[in-house]
Amino acid sequence: MLENRRILLIVAGGIAAVKVPDLIRRLRERGASVRCILTKGGSQFVTPLTLAALSGDKCYQDLFSLTDEAEMGHIRLSREADIILVAPATADIMAKMVMGQADDLATTALLATDKPVMIAPSMNVMMWTHPATQSNLQILKTREVRVVGPSAGDLACGEVGNGRMAEVPEIIAALTRFFQKSAGQGPLTGFRALVTSGPTHEPIDPVRYIANRSSGKQGHAVATALAELGASVTLIAGPTNEPDPDGVKIIHVETAKQMMKACTESLPAEIVICAAAVADWNVESAGGQKIKKESGKTPALKLAENPDILATLAQPGPSRPSLVIGFAAETENLIENAQLKRAKKNCDWIVANDVSPGSGAFGGDNNTVHLVTADGVESWPTLQKRAVAERLAERISAFVERNL
Ligand code: C5P
């Protein structure tokens, strides 16, 4: 992914600049070309000669250098790149980026660029947590500046906390993800995912049906998140008000039996996520005519069990998908019930969520879930359903990377 990518690396004045030579080496190993701008502060920690030698290019330092400007003006410098990476990004350069200050070559290039920008912040923990820096960070994020790190740990100043620049492999991974995304690819490219979402409607007669309160928000968000990571997604959706997500193949169904049929017809897939709230029963006695109201008489509905889609897809066999995930909406003994469900339905993971009255899960935008796997239970904070989906998609990517 980094092959032939042109990276303009701005090295600002922080101790983490000592990691930059290794970063350049690793980027070049992966086929990227690196051109450096070194700020005055940066040159206190790493020399221009080191950067020039390792990048195999000139190291640019001065805004008003007659020779540099003649050879390669600062505008061209900022445009002849696929991405600008600021590593380390100090509190000072972040503040200057927010203000649009351009008082040296680095800040001028950042203001003049039309290319994406990524920063790897590095500073003392108090500087990082200071409201000024945090507010600058938020502003930069709204301007689509990508941020990698910082992480927590020992800081060069002797204090401990958040502020360590992301390690080189993390920066490489963030750049790789960025280029994958812009190429419409991701860690799940080449993998097929089947997602069920929404409720099912079980007809009582041609005008009436049995339904449930599922909105389809969580299942649709899962389909979107998987597609964003490059998976080829088929979403089998019961009747919902959710718009069809972009970039996924969608099959609309009404009943559980139709959902079951659409699922089996959409296999094979490596990943299956059953997020639909499938009705447990259909009305066996449903007929072709509207049931007439007759005073003093109530019709009896004869129910029959619906197929269990999750359990069917998770059955052992040569064509079983590698990762089958179910949802468990419970109102009591959440984790215990989810663990039992995982075993009973033979699925690999269960996303357990509390749908008791007051949880707001049904129809709401937030969800509080626990991921139940063979390794144990991971409890996530209350997140937007979109964020739950993104986290789940990340976990799926990690599984795919380890196992497939
Ligand atoms: O048994 P219960 O409905 O609580 O299980 C929930 C999980 O099973 C969800 O993942 C749901 O999508 C799936 N399920 C299914 N087919 C059914 C019933 C539930 O796929 N008939």
Side-chain angles (χ1 to χ4, degrees):
M1 256 304 142
L2 295 179
E3 184 84 40
N4 297 326
R5 303 295 185 178
R6 297 165 307 171
I7 296 163
L8 181 63
L9 176 58
I10 294 181
V11 183
I15 182 67
V18 299
K19 294 184 191 169
V20 165
D22 187 39
L23 174 62
I24 298 173
R25 215 179 271 127
R26 304 293 158 231
L27 287 169
R28 293 197 66 205
E29 265 172 19
R30 285 164 178 76
S33 68
V34 183
R35 179 174 274 162
C36 295
I37 293 181
L38 182 61
T39 68
K40 204 164 165 227
S43 66
Q44 302 293 316
F45 298 94
V46 64
T47 71
L49 197 58
T50 309
L51 300 187
L54 290 171
S55 67
D57 201 338
K58 195 176 150 49
C59 174
Y60 294 83
Q61 286 181 278
D62 295 324
L63 180 56
F64 300 113
S65 155
L66 204 53
T67 46
D68 287 0
E69 276 296 305
E71 272 173 30
M72 163 76 75
H74 58 272
I75 307 278
R76 224 178 99 201
L77 193 56
S78 73
R79 306 271 170 89
E80 277 190 10
D82 298 313
I83 191 166
I84 301 188
L85 171 66
V86 188
T90 56
D92 176 62
I93 203 161
M94 285 173 62
K96 284 181 170 161
M97 285 168 76
V98 168
M99 297 300 290
Q101 258 182 30
D103 59 359
D104 64 2
L105 182 60
T107 47
T108 307
L110 282 163
L111 197 61
T113 192
D114 58 354
K115 293 293 159 39
V117 176
M118 182 181 286
I119 60 172
S122 168
M123 65 198 74
N124 165 270
V125 57
M126 297 305 284
M127 292 170 79
W128 174 249
T129 51
H130 195 287
T133 306
Q134 287 303 307
S135 126
N136 288 340
L137 178 72
Q138 292 316 318
I139 294 170
L140 291 175
K141 281 186 177 170
T142 61
R143 294 184 196 158
E144 308 243 322
V145 170
R146 280 91 183 155
V147 184
V148 51
S151 58
D154 291 334
L155 301 170
C157 53
E159 291 184 18
V160 178
N162 220 348
R164 280 173 67 89
M165 186 171 86
E167 297 300 329
V168 168
E170 253 182 277
I171 299 177
I172 303 252
L175 286 169
T176 306
R177 274 199 303 276
F178 167 78
F179 286 118
Q180 276 177 333
K181 211 168 170 192
S182 53
Q185 290 188 6
L188 293 177
T189 298
F191 293 97
R192 294 159 295 185
L194 182 63
V195 181
T196 69
S197 179
T200 62
H201 285 181
E202 306 297 332
I204 295 171
D205 66 19
V207 293
R208 306 181 180 96
Y209 56 82
I210 300 177
N212 62 61
R213 293 184 194 281
S214 168
S215 64
K217 281 185 183 165
Q218 187 63 78
H220 278 52
V222 168
T224 303
L226 293 172
E228 278 176 359
L229 295 188
S232 139
V233 181
T234 303
L235 172 64
I236 300 176
T240 76
N241 289 324
E242 286 297 291
D244 291 355
D246 286 338
V248 314
K249 178 181 169 197
I250 186 153
I251 302 175
H252 293 281
V253 296
E254 272 198 24
T255 67
K257 282 184 189 164
Q258 290 167 0
M259 190 174 270
M260 179 78 250
K261 185 165 177 282
C263 282
T264 44
E265 285 173 359
S266 301
L267 288 174
E270 289 75 28
I271 305 154
V272 164
I273 297 149
C274 290
V278 184
D280 289 320
W281 306 283
N282 61 71
V283 184
E284 205 178 40
S285 52
Q289 302 300 327
K290 184 180 170 194
I291 303 171
K292 285 286 185 205
K293 186 166 78 174
E294 286 179 46
S295 81
K297 268 186 154 184
T298 46
L301 299 182
K302 186 163 182 325
L303 301 179
E305 208 170 312
N306 268 332
D308 192 311
I309 301 169
L310 175 61
T312 309
L313 299 180
Q315 262 170 17
S319 57
R320 183 190 188 277
S322 310
L323 182 62
V324 180
I325 305 173
F327 272 68
E330 301 285 349
T331 53
E332 55 184 357
N333 299 332
L334 182 59
I335 293 181
E336 204 183 317
N337 281 330
Q339 276 161 336
L340 289 173
K341 198 162 288 179
R342 184 177 158 268
K344 192 173 127 207
K345 301 204 182 200
N346 193 42
C347 56
D348 302 295
W349 302 352
I350 284 271
V351 181
N353 59 337
D354 182 357
V355 291
S356 52
S359 70
F362 264 131
D365 286 326
N366 291 341
N367 218 350
T368 314
V369 309
H370 310 264
L371 183 64
V372 180
T373 70
D375 300 331
V377 180
E378 230 186 75
S379 296
W380 296 354
T382 300
L383 296 167
Q384 286 195 335
K385 287 183 176 170
R386 192 174 45 80
V388 168
E390 282 166 5
R391 246 190 214 214
L392 185 62
E394 264 172 39
R395 296 294 190 281
I396 294 170
S397 303
F399 171 89
V400 162
E401 200 178 324
R402 272 197 317 270
N403 298 289
L404 301 183

